[in-house]
Amino acid sequence: QVQLVQSGSELKKPGASVKVSCKTSGYTFSSYAMNWLRQAPGQGLEWMGWINTNTRNPSYAQGFTGRFVFSLDTSVSTAYLQITSLKAEDTAVYYCARRMAAAGTWWFDPWGQGTLVTVSS
Amino acid sequence: SYVLTQPPSVSVAPGQTARITCGGNNIGSKSVHWYQQKPGQAPVVVVYDDSDRPSGIPERFSGSNSGNTATLTISRVEAGDEADYYCQVWASSSDHPIFGGGTKLTVL
């Protein structure tokens, strides 16, 4: 079955960097775009952007440029999210999600289990 | 920018029908997707493209979309349906998804 398995929780100090992995299985990695979403504690879902798994071209949503980097290792069907210069407000659960498409619309299925990144001194 | 409005909470007794709405300007012209998120878990799509159900999702979950309101209907509600529910559309003009604020379903 299709699975997205993310790396474990991280506790980082302000100013540090973190790299979250999203290992996929059960489907052809290059056939679907990979998206990243964030959920701050007690808040809703926020889309961060996506990466084209064919061209490796990333696209970042407003508010997620500069410190956020999406990358791939196609040899192991894995996507990565790196965040640099971490701030307390980056504390959130980060999700990877496969993007599904049909007739001009897109949705996310499935999602990784989420990675909690806590930024605290 | 396009805004999706959901009620913060909906309460229903077991066995009854829950209806969770998602309001947006002419949302009937868009495709709406619904996610269920149980505490501590990742979201799971329960309805996509207005009214289609992924395999494994019970028939008790259904969706409709017309005018300015899309609705997720959960029939014969069970305690295990207690969760946050989010609606989502794709903003074609800006090529990004838009989520509603979420609705907490409480089973009394």
Side-chain angles (χ1 to χ4, degrees), chain B residues 3-80:
Chain B
V3 176
L4 296 176
T5 301
Q6 298 183 238
S9 63
V10 167
S11 299
V12 64
Q16 300 303 302
T17 297
R19 293 179 179 85
I20 298 172
T21 59
C22 178
N25 185 33
N26 197 26
I27 195 174
S29 67
K30 302 180 183 297
S31 293
V32 180
H33 319 294
W34 291 93
Y35 301 90
Q36 176 194 67
Q37 185 179 31
K38 295 182 179 181
Q41 298 185 21
V44 172
V45 61
V46 292
V47 167
Y48 66 94
D49 204 7
D50 291 342
S51 58
D52 289 335
R53 256 187 331 273
S55 60
I57 300 300
E59 291 183 7
R60 301 186 297 105
F61 290 82
S62 62
S64 62
N65 185 16
S66 179
N68 293 318
T69 305
T71 303
L72 173 69
T73 301
I74 309 171
S75 304
R76 302 181 299 283
V77 166
E78 303 173 357

Side-chain angles (χ1 to χ4, degrees), chain A residues 75-118:
Chain A
S75 68
V76 289
S77 302
T78 300
Y80 300 93
L81 163 66
Q82 184 169 15
I83 312 172
T84 60
S85 302
L86 282 163
K87 306 175 182 180
E89 51 263 41
D90 294 324
T91 294
V93 176
Y94 292 83
Y95 293 102
C96 58
R98 185 179 71 164
R99 189 179 76 181
M100 302 295 287
T105 188
W106 291 263
W107 67 96
F108 306 110
D109 183 33
W111 298 53
Q113 83 275 21
T115 296
L116 173 62
V117 175
T118 303

Side-chain angles (χ1 to χ4, degrees), chain A residues 33-100:
Chain A
M34 184 61 73
N35 285 242
W36 289 93
L37 301 99
R38 180 172 81 174
Q39 188 169 38
Q43 301 300 308
L45 301 167
E46 186 176 21
W47 181 71
M48 300 173 64
W50 67 287
I51 184 165
N52 186 313
T53 51
N54 276 308
T55 67
R56 298 175 179 267
N57 184 43
S59 177
Y60 302 96
Q62 265 191 337
F64 294 99
T65 56
R67 297 189 300 115
F68 299 84
V69 178
F70 306 147
S71 61
L72 305 171
D73 185 343
T74 55
S75 68
V76 289
S77 302
T78 300
Y80 300 93
L81 163 66
Q82 184 169 15
I83 312 172
T84 60
S85 302
L86 282 163
K87 306 175 182 180
E89 51 263 41
D90 294 324
T91 294
V93 176
Y94 292 83
Y95 293 102
C96 58
R98 185 179 71 164
R99 189 179 76 181
M100 302 295 287

